[in-house]
Amino acid sequence: MKISYNWLKQFIKIDWTPEQTSELLTDLGLEVEGLEDYQSVKGGLEGVVIGEVLTCIKHPNADKLKVTTVNIGGDVPLQIVCGAPNVATGQKVPVATIGTTLYTEDGESWTIKKGKIRGEESHGMICAEDELGLGKSHDGIMVLDDAIKVGTPAGDIFDIENDQVFEIGLTPNRADAMSHLGTARDLKAGLVQKDINLEFITPSVSAFHTDNRTLKIDIDVKNKDLAPRYCGVTISGIKVAESPTWLQHRLKAIGLSPINNIVDATNYVLHELGQPLHAFDAVKISDNKIEVKTLKTGTKFTTLDGIERELHEDDLMICDAEKPMCIAGVFGGIDSGVTKSTTSIFLESAYFNPISVRKTAKRHGLNTDASFRFERGIDPNITEYALKRAALLIQELAGGEITSDLIDIYPNKIEDFQVRLSFENAKKLIGEEIPKEIIKRILTSLEIKVNNVTETGLGLTVPAYRNDVQREADIIEEILRIYGYNNIKTTEKLNASISSTSRFEDHKIQNIVGNQLAAQGFYEILSNSLTNPNYITLSEQLKHEHNITMLNPLSNDLSVLRQSLLFSGLEAISHNINRKCQDLKFFEFGKTYHHYNERRAENKHLTLFATGNQNKESWYIASKKSDFFLLKGSVISLLDRLGVSRYNESPIKNDLFSEGLSLNFGKTKLVDFGLVKKSILKHFDISQDVLFADFNWDAILDIVKRHKITFKSIPKYPEARRDFALLLDDAVTFESIYKLAKQSEKQLLKSVNLFDVYQGKNLPKGKKSYAVSFTLQDENKTLTDKQIDKIMNKLQANFEKQLGAELR
């Protein structure tokens, strides 16, 4: 939210610097995220001075150029080549001197330099309106009043607005501060706490009165729950034109583009008081009747942006006797607004139900200044005052007369909040005792009325515009932010308690796994649990009926909770690949969400992703693509680290993979991993292979808790290693060799390792060669060659008999 300092000072005549004010606003909870300078003429006309044209002759080498000499108050007149048709001797003109920077409307800049134009030297530029940013005319140079003294800086003559603009990061609960009035109100309370008492000035509406009753508009609020208060008045005889300079400066400073004096007046009051208003062309209101109601689902309505929208049955609309004219509190219609030919208006000021406005705005993907305020809840008691303020401002800017009584439909007044504050509870929450008189002064400065005072507490009335202050805790928060968090002393005593937690806590196991994966080159990602509902079409295992759909989604692409972590990970991979980061290894802890009949389930997962090269490009290491065995190594090492060693492998049955494996503990699935299907990758515009592992984290945590760590001494006696080169059928796997070896020798065989695979030339068709190492060790004595040979012969015999192996 942007707040103009000059505008703020219309409410409270503070003489602090913008930086000091920023600090106080931040301390009050209105965090100033930035402070920008605003100039109505960019550059402030620095370097532009008033000169007098002494001579003006035709350029000897150009028909449309003239060579002038201009006195700007220096010792020697400047020679300037000028192409303007209206330049003449004796004129007072603005001159941009050498080194001056001028700006275009688009923000582009150029610097005036000494140069030659068709052979004649030029030492500056005589400027037109648009070249200085003072207007749009480029018919000729600006000719100024003869009374202006030569050499006067142009910035002293022209009305240039210099302002500072606060960028405030407004939290959603502070609906009361969504205006200059609200910000000034908080600022005054902060100043009172610093013993600075300044008058709080609000615009007067005492001059408002009805001139005649020649244009009456009947108002019928059919849905009073969605429109608790609705006010309106007509103004006739107006003239739509450009807004005056001062108003344009105010709007431009906070980033708004001026449109015309009527629309600008409503925008001005919106940002001044926080009350959205809307002006309808009265001639376009059929039968001089306004109806506030909902319409049938599917009703067509074209908004100001030219988009035809289908209305929902819960969308509150402002209609005339025949047609809808405006989406209440959100956006106007294309055919009912103010145009250059408008001569009479119906001016609306209302309080709409915040929830209704938010749902409508989100439903149609609209976010306007009006909906921003209505959604959060504006002051229901400022409606009439703001309408009078806007009506008087429009009369000031566009003329006209008030031609109807001000109609205010407010059947059920929104009451202020009654809250009881206990001094003891305030002391407990704040951590120290704030004097009662200071508490009362703070609350009074915030316009919170103190009804009664006792030894134990206060009875308070909180104004309705503070819809975030309805509990005792909220009152204490208000006291604390005005008193100043920095003024609360730090206790000299630190109390702490030691909690007993299991080493198998989820977050502890996650840290162990995360550290291991990070050491292997993986980066952790955290993706949104909300996802695109169309992703379920990429897999037959994901069902539409299992989706959990958001009632009020931020967008269609984020309307359901995810059933798989694969797609959010692929989004991250696609994002990085599109930015030339193609070698990626990610991991993520997250949940999936499912709707099964009448039951909803959350399942926790750990996912791994690998794509591109395994290592960074280097001259001494050959590039190698991430492959299935890299991922399998990461999966197995992770399970080993957690002590999960008992599992069986099975072919994968998940259609997210083109090939892969499942590791299971009994009937419980631990992890699916493998190569993601090309058709899924194509959906995300990924052309390179992606490896994916999906751990059932809940099941792994359950198994880890049963794992018992045992310790034993390191064996004193040496290991012995023997190798076999086995000729095998292609169908034989290393797993079968491993299992058979372990069955053949359970006591002394410590490990079996495959260290080379060969297929191709000099081998029979359908055969492959495995080089396998066997490590043997007796923990009680040194093995003899006789014992080792006996074991190796047994292994060889079993391999030949059961696997059809041959020694090469």
Side-chain angles (χ1 to χ4, degrees), residues 27-28 193 442 479-488:
D27 289 343
L28 294 171
Q193 180 59 25
I442 289 172
I479 294 168
L480 186 53
R481 72 180 182 87
I482 301 300
Y483 182 75
Y485 291 98
N486 295 334
N487 294 326
I488 302 298

Side-chain angles (χ1 to χ4, degrees), residues 295-301 308-312 317 324 364:
L295 299 175
K296 291 181 180 179
T297 295
T299 302
K300 305 290 186 182
F301 179 67
E308 184 179 75
R309 304 177 188 274
E310 284 194 8
L311 301 178
H312 187 273
M317 303 296 296
H364 295 289

Side-chain angles (χ1 to χ4, degrees), residues 522-573:
F522 285 82
Y523 289 89
E524 185 171 11
I525 61 173
L526 182 63
S527 54
N528 199 337
S529 295
L530 295 171
T531 190
N532 192 319
N534 296 326
Y535 286 161
I536 62 169
T537 61
L538 301 176
S539 170
E540 293 181 0
Q541 291 185 332
L542 305 178
K543 306 295 184 183
H544 177 75
E545 58 268 23
H546 295 164
N547 270 341
I548 296 178
T549 305
M550 303 300 293
L551 294 176
N552 189 21
L554 295 172
S555 68
N556 290 331
D557 290 339
L558 298 172
S559 60
V560 300
L561 288 167
R562 63 189 174 193
Q563 293 188 44
S564 171
L565 272 71
L566 171 63
F567 308 118
S568 54
L570 292 178
E571 287 176 346
I573 287 174

Side-chain angles (χ1 to χ4, degrees), residues 719-722 734 738 741-742 745 748-754 772-777 795:
E719 297 176 344
R721 169 176 162 160
R722 295 292 185 271
F734 172 68
Y738 181 88
K742 284 290 188 178
E745 178 54 55
L748 302 180
L749 182 61
K750 300 301 180 183
S751 67
V752 182
N753 182 48
L754 176 65
V772 185
S773 67
F774 303 88
T775 302
L776 305 168
Q777 186 181 41
L795 291 174

Side-chain angles (χ1 to χ4, degrees), residues 35-299:
L35 183 62
E36 299 178 356
D37 290 329
Y38 168 78
Q39 292 178 312
S40 57
V41 177
K42 193 169 183 180
L45 299 182
E46 187 175 345
V48 181
V49 297
I50 306 306
E52 181 179 5
V53 180
L54 302 178
T55 65
C56 179
I57 61 174
K58 182 179 176 299
H59 194 293
N61 302 316
D63 292 337
K64 295 185 179 181
L65 298 179
K66 295 177 182 177
V67 179
T68 67
T69 56
V70 183
N71 175 22
I72 63 168
D75 297 334
V76 180
L78 302 179
Q79 178 172 299
I80 299 175
V81 177
C82 180
N86 64 329
V87 64
T89 302
Q91 293 173 336
K92 295 287 179 68
V93 293
V95 178
T97 57
I98 301 297
T100 299
T101 300
L102 299 178
Y103 298 86
T104 66
E105 284 188 3
D106 299 330
E108 296 181 3
S109 63
W110 79 95
T111 302
I112 305 299
K113 298 178 181 178
K114 176 183 176 181
K116 282 189 176 182
I117 302 176
R118 295 287 185 94
E120 295 292 328
E121 288 190 358
S122 185
H123 297 266
M125 185 173 81
I126 304 174
C127 301
E129 271 187 12
D130 62 335
E131 292 166 336
L132 295 177
L134 296 171
K136 297 181 180 179
S137 173
H138 195 70
D139 296 336
I141 60 170
M142 293 184 72
V143 179
L144 306 175
D145 192 331
D146 286 340
I148 300 175
K149 184 179 178 181
V150 169
T152 303
D156 295 346
I157 296 172
F158 298 105
D159 183 19
I160 298 175
E161 176 88 356
N162 291 295
D163 198 356
Q164 286 79 36
V165 180
F166 304 107
E167 181 67 46
I168 295 179
L170 194 68
T171 52
N173 65 307
R174 292 303 309 277
D176 63 294
M178 294 185 297
S179 64
H180 287 78
L181 170 68
T183 304
R185 186 166 47 208
D186 250 24
L187 184 59
K188 182 181 185 301
L191 291 171
V192 168
Q193 180 59 25
K194 295 181 179 294
D195 294 324
I196 302 173
N197 289 287
L198 298 177
E199 183 184 3
F200 191 58
I201 305 167
T202 55
S204 172
V205 295
S206 59
F208 179 88
H209 67 279
T210 300
D211 295 300
N212 56 67
R213 294 174 177 81
T214 57
L215 181 57
K216 182 183 178 182
I217 302 289
D218 293 323
I219 300 174
D220 183 8
V221 179
K222 294 185 178 296
N223 194 321
K224 294 180 174 60
D225 290 333
L226 300 186
R229 188 174 190 183
Y230 192 90
C231 300
V233 72
T234 63
I235 308 175
S236 302
I238 62 170
K239 183 178 180 182
V240 179
E242 273 194 359
S243 296
T245 304
W246 70 266
L247 178 53
Q248 293 193 38
H249 289 339
R250 285 285 179 268
L251 297 180
K252 286 179 180 178
I254 59 173
L256 297 181
S257 299
I259 299 173
N260 59 54
N261 50 2
I262 307 302
V263 176
D264 292 350
T266 60
N267 283 334
Y268 181 86
V269 175
L270 164 67
H271 290 275
E272 179 185 49
L273 304 179
Q275 170 67 54
L277 302 110
H278 193 73
F280 298 91
D281 189 328
V283 174
K284 299 176 182 177
I285 301 175
S286 298
D287 294 343
N288 287 349
K289 185 173 183 180
I290 292 288
E291 294 183 351
V292 184
K293 61 183 180 180
T294 56
L295 299 175
K296 291 181 180 179
T297 295
T299 302

Side-chain angles (χ1 to χ4, degrees), residues 632-807:
K632 184 177 181 182
S634 296
V635 170
I636 299 300
S637 66
L638 190 152
L639 293 175
D640 287 345
R641 177 65 181 85
L642 296 177
V644 182
S645 56
R646 293 171 51 205
Y647 48 80
N648 56 290
E649 296 182 2
S650 63
I652 201 161
K653 297 179 180 178
N654 193 326
D655 68 351
L656 298 174
F657 300 89
S658 57
E659 56 183 79
L661 285 176
S662 287
L663 302 185
N664 307 289
F665 182 80
K667 294 183 179 181
T668 302
K669 182 176 291 185
L670 296 181
V671 56
D672 285 343
F673 63 96
L675 198 63
V676 180
K677 287 175 68 172
K678 296 283 187 184
S679 59
I680 295 176
L681 298 180
K682 185 178 179 181
H683 185 85
F684 293 87
D685 293 326
I686 299 174
S687 57
Q688 61 193 55
D689 289 342
V690 175
L691 297 147
F692 173 59
D694 185 6
F695 289 84
N696 181 349
W697 188 250
D698 292 322
I700 288 174
L701 280 180
D702 185 57
I703 294 171
V704 167
K705 290 176 182 178
R706 302 184 222 160
H707 176 62
K708 294 183 178 180
I709 298 174
T710 57
F711 299 90
K712 60 182 180 179
S713 59
I714 298 173
K716 298 179 182 179
Y717 301 98
E719 297 176 344
R721 169 176 162 160
R722 295 292 185 271
D723 298 341
F724 276 165
L726 300 173
L727 186 65
L728 302 157
D729 291 337
D730 280 341
V732 178
T733 64
F734 172 68
E735 182 184 13
S736 59
I737 296 173
Y738 181 88
K739 288 182 177 180
L740 184 55
K742 284 290 188 178
Q743 292 170 2
S744 301
E745 178 54 55
K746 297 179 180 179
Q747 297 293 326
L748 302 180
L749 182 61
K750 300 301 180 183
S751 67
V752 182
N753 182 48
L754 176 65
F755 64 89
D756 188 41
V757 178
Y758 177 72
Q759 289 176 295
K761 190 176 180 181
N762 299 327
L763 290 183
K765 187 176 180 181
K767 296 287 186 177
K768 62 184 176 183
S769 175
Y770 273 7
V772 185
S773 67
F774 303 88
T775 302
L776 305 168
Q777 186 181 41
D778 190 331
E779 297 180 2
N780 300 311
K781 60 183 179 180
T782 302
L783 287 172
T784 64
D785 288 340
K786 186 177 180 180
Q787 288 175 296
I788 296 170
D789 290 341
K790 182 179 178 181
I791 294 170
M792 296 308 296
N793 290 335
K794 183 180 180 182
L795 291 174
Q796 180 183 345
N798 287 340
F799 291 155
E800 290 173 349
K801 182 179 178 181
Q802 298 188 36
L803 301 178
E806 299 178 30
L807 285 183

